[in-house]
Amino acid sequence: MNKQNQIIKIKEIELAFLKYFSNKNYKLVDIDLIEKLDWSHLTKEDLLQMKERNFWQNNNHIYSLRHDFTDQLLRYHSIFPTDFKKVAYSGPIVRNNEVISQIGIENYLPIYNQFNDSFNDFYHFIKTYLKDDIQLIILGHYQLLNELLEEKYRTLVIKNMIEERNLSGLKHQLPHNHPILKLLSESTRHQLSKLSQYLDQSSQTLLTLKSWEEQLIKQGLTNIHLDISAQPSRSYYKGVFIRCYLNKHDTSILTGGFYSGDLQGYGMALTL
């Protein structure tokens, strides 16, 4: 596909997406690519992510190109509260000097099962409009590592080894029968079925992951892999998360997850 046709195709997808979710009673939002930031109100997390942003200073103000829709919408919502509970958007984000087109949704103060419903709606859009399907799903929960790993072992060294699946190194850091060692010895596709052996059956994290697994299987999506190593890039990412890779559009990734900070909700977005 040449560059001109690719541009047209992306705009067509964005328009179809906005119409689709507008019909699902989502409010459409169109926010400027350039954000005006206040140094005095930036959190430690904001400052850590500034290295990924394109920003500049003018007349004592800091301006930045949009880095993440969820962050921008949460910041906008905190300054200009609205009664919108469900919003849909499309447009570019800029990370590490790369411009990426993205379509997505945010649900604020969601009720039970809304995340599942939104995923099903997004999946239906992928199948009917993109004529594509999901080939692989990575499922996880940002509380899982803390439930598996005792506080005394939650060091940066050990967490990095878990992320790298460095079993040989972890064997020198953890007891030989530790659940982390046993789980990492399993294929990621089998880890979720083994998880109940190491967590209390009443664990909300376990119940949430199992519920998601059941919902995905009902949709015919069975290639599900557990990520026990995930660490949130923001402190307010505290719940379940999902990453889906498509069959035909191999550079498009559908991601979603819960957050709980000044505002509770979840977001879901697809890169184009």
Side-chain angles (χ1 to χ4, degrees), residues 95-148:
R95 292 178 182 170
N96 298 315
N97 297 313
E98 182 180 1
V99 181
I100 305 169
S101 294
Q102 194 174 71
I103 53 178
I105 57 174
E106 300 288 333
N107 284 252
Y108 303 121
L109 303 175
I111 61 175
Y112 183 71
N113 271 347
Q114 274 190 337
F115 196 178
N116 300 91
D117 294 340
S118 295
F119 174 84
N120 294 340
D121 287 337
F122 224 127
Y123 184 37
H124 182 260
F125 177 81
I126 288 170
K127 290 193 294 183
T128 57
Y129 190 84
L130 296 184
K131 307 298 182 186
D132 206 343
D133 209 335
I134 293 172
Q135 64 160 311
L136 180 148
I137 294 174
I138 296 175
L139 190 63
H141 198 294
Y142 286 124
Q143 298 302 313
L144 179 57
L145 192 58
N146 283 347
E147 291 196 30
L148 291 170

Side-chain angles (χ1 to χ4, degrees), residues 83-95:
D83 59 356
F84 292 173
K85 293 296 186 289
K86 303 193 300 182
V87 301
Y89 61 82
S90 71
I93 59 174
V94 184
R95 292 178 182 170

